[in-house]
Amino acid sequence: MALERTFSIIKPDATARNLTGKINAKFEEAGLRIVAQKRIQMTKAQAGEFYKVHAERPFYDELCTFMASAPVVVQVLEGDGAIAKNRDVMGATNPADAAPGTIRAEFAQSVGENSVHGSDAPETAAEEIAYFFAGIELVG
Ligand code: DAT
Ligand code: MG
């Protein structure tokens, strides 16, 4: 499988509960390498731009308010098949449907406050990485 990079966010519900290290351990145990990482607090406008694909969904305003409500940790994860592998480690969007041992099964509080974001395809991964990181910040 090809070496890939994917974009990840440890969301406000998880940073608020001091779960950054436990979530990073899940990534590393799965063979994902954290090649860039920083803690930031997004504005609601920045969250809105990031999630613009969901602009017509009923939960969009709530989602953007939540993502700007507290600090997040934005990351680039690298590994073989990193995009799909990260989605596996994250688990299903709704923690009630997430497989045992996944991040969302263990840590998520609800479908909205679900602890992590991960890119869903190579195109979105490249776009999302470029939204938060300059090339000089990515060191494998
Ligand atoms: P994922 O984060 O698994 O890629 P998504 O792209 O469908 O899921 O949705 C983006 C985020 O929007 C998701 O992580 C949490 C929020 N969300 C999705 N469906 C929701 C719902 N039915 N109610 C509230 N928030 C929702
Ligand atoms: Mg998504």
Side-chain angles (χ1 to χ4, degrees):
M1 210 177 282
L3 193 67
E4 286 180 339
R5 285 177 173 174
T6 192
F7 177 71
S8 167
I9 305 179
I10 301 178
K11 293 186 180 182
D13 67 284
T15 62
R17 288 176 291 145
N18 217 19
L19 292 170
T20 298
K22 285 188 172 146
I23 290 173
N24 279 345
K26 293 274 195 194
F27 295 140
E28 293 182 344
E29 282 160 14
L32 293 164
R33 181 177 296 273
I34 302 162
V35 297
Q37 174 168 258
K38 58 192 173 189
R39 185 173 171 102
I40 61 169
Q41 183 154 3
M42 274 191 261
T43 64
K44 190 173 175 186
Q46 288 166 337
E49 174 65 21
F50 177 72
Y51 273 123
K52 61 177 188 276
V53 65
H54 295 305
E56 303 307 319
R57 310 281 286 276
F59 55 80
Y60 179 65
D61 189 70
E62 180 192 340
L63 173 62
C64 297
T65 298
F66 166 62
M67 291 300 288
S69 67
V72 299
V73 176
V74 293
Q75 312 174 297
V76 180
L77 307 179
E78 184 180 83
D80 284 338
I83 297 166
K85 185 176 280 183
N86 182 40
R87 297 291 308 193
D88 284 347
V89 175
M90 289 165 59
T93 306
N94 186 339
D97 302 327
T102 61
I103 291 169
R104 283 166 165 169
E106 289 196 12
F107 302 124
Q109 298 185 297
S110 65
V111 66
E113 303 199 359
N114 61 3
S115 302
V116 279
H117 164 85
S119 307
D120 57 13
E123 300 72 30
T124 46
E127 193 178 313
E128 291 172 2
I129 289 169
Y131 187 60
F132 288 99
F133 291 96
I136 200 168
E137 295 178 284
L138 305 178
V139 282

